[in-house]
Amino acid sequence: MNTPHLRPKIAVVGAGWAGLSAAISLARRADVTVFEAGRQAGGRARTLVGNADGFSFLDNGQHILLGAYHGVLTLMEHIGVDPEATFCRLPLQWHMYEGLQFQSTNLPSPLHILTGILRAKNISFSLKIRLLSDMGALQRYARGKRADLAVAQWLRQRNVPRRLVAEFWQPLVWGALNTPLEHASLRILCNVLSDGVWADKPGSDYLLPKRDLGAIIAEPALAKLKQFGADIRLETRVGRLKNFPDGRIVVNDEAFDAVIVATAPYHAVHLFPEDTPDYIQTTYQNLRYHSITTVYLRYAVPIHLPAPLTGFADGTAQWLVYRGALGLPINEVASVISVSDYVGAFKSQEWAEKVHADVKRICPYLDEPEAVRVITEKRATTACTPDSSPPDFAWLHQRRIYLAGDYLHPHYPATLEAAVQSGLMAAERCLADFGLI
């Protein structure tokens, strides 16, 4: 495509972590304009503005990152954010209340996991050996070229004991893939474990945010983009894209040489040109989603939880994040409920009451919380199902329309790392088509 200037003029639609990653990658070699329909950047991983009800801060969900999130860490480096000041880094640990408990050791991979499980508490030696055996079988599956299948099917084939399913495999899959066991991709689970937990000791560490998500990515990314001269347009919705005969793209009556669409998929499908092939439109219309509910609770007295991350195999709260362990107020706790649409259809007050009941199982001295905030993302992530893959986007690429988003990553579930990597990949593909890579 011929452009009238040396630097292509590129629009990025959507200022979530995928769009910001793409924009940062483009800004050194292109004139970038970022369009964001909301009042603030960050997408689903953003800080809630306004009344915080006395909480230290409220994010649009409690996110748990891993040391293996190299894309996120590299992006933070590029925008001048220090991970050590931003995250509380903890060794991989698994603490189920009154259940399976272990922590990785300081040995090299894979010994850090092996020895950690062998030292596990509240579980018989035979079940420790069984868990290690199943992990070994999963690693062999990951190295092979077998057909993908649902995690539940694989667990049944191996006749995995119910206790290990309840206290390890189900919480793992729900937290990592946000998809029920019956529909969750075993291949994607293998990718998560292979590139994270099993890869090396630092990669398996937890990174728990001790600052709000806006300060981690959104705000410093926007500041860096402005340094590059990018045009940031918040509260600006974009209509359906159109192509000029010369190949340029019309975005809100303005011509661009290329566009990266980094919105949620249910918004992206309405931006595609009217003549977009049916197979692309149909794929988007057939996507399934699952919810994530986060419940923030603040009490009048300090909370005493046994671990920074405390899980329940039989509770509404799947994981409690003790904010005091992150250097935040010791009377605050955040609860994460993945696939909450699968767990139940509760109103906000009901979620809060159920989570409070779980917290009281550990801290029976607690009275009713002083403040609660319940946040449910009804379409938090796309379902991570076997053999699911995005369609061929060559038709859109020929029209200089590129897509970014956590749901598009070919190997990972819809996570913050997948979002950042997808933004980088979209930017690289776009620049390559202009001969700038």
Side-chain angles (χ1 to χ4, degrees), residues 102-118:
F102 67 87
Q103 179 173 312
S104 65
T105 65
N106 289 323
L107 296 174
S109 176
L111 294 177
H112 69 303
I113 298 294
L114 173 65
T115 55
I117 292 176
L118 288 176

Side-chain angles (χ1 to χ4, degrees), residues 7 159 173 180 254 256 309 374 387 392:
R7 288 167 59 90
N159 196 27
V173 172
E254 186 175 351
F256 290 85
L309 274 174
V374 179
D387 293 321
D392 183 357

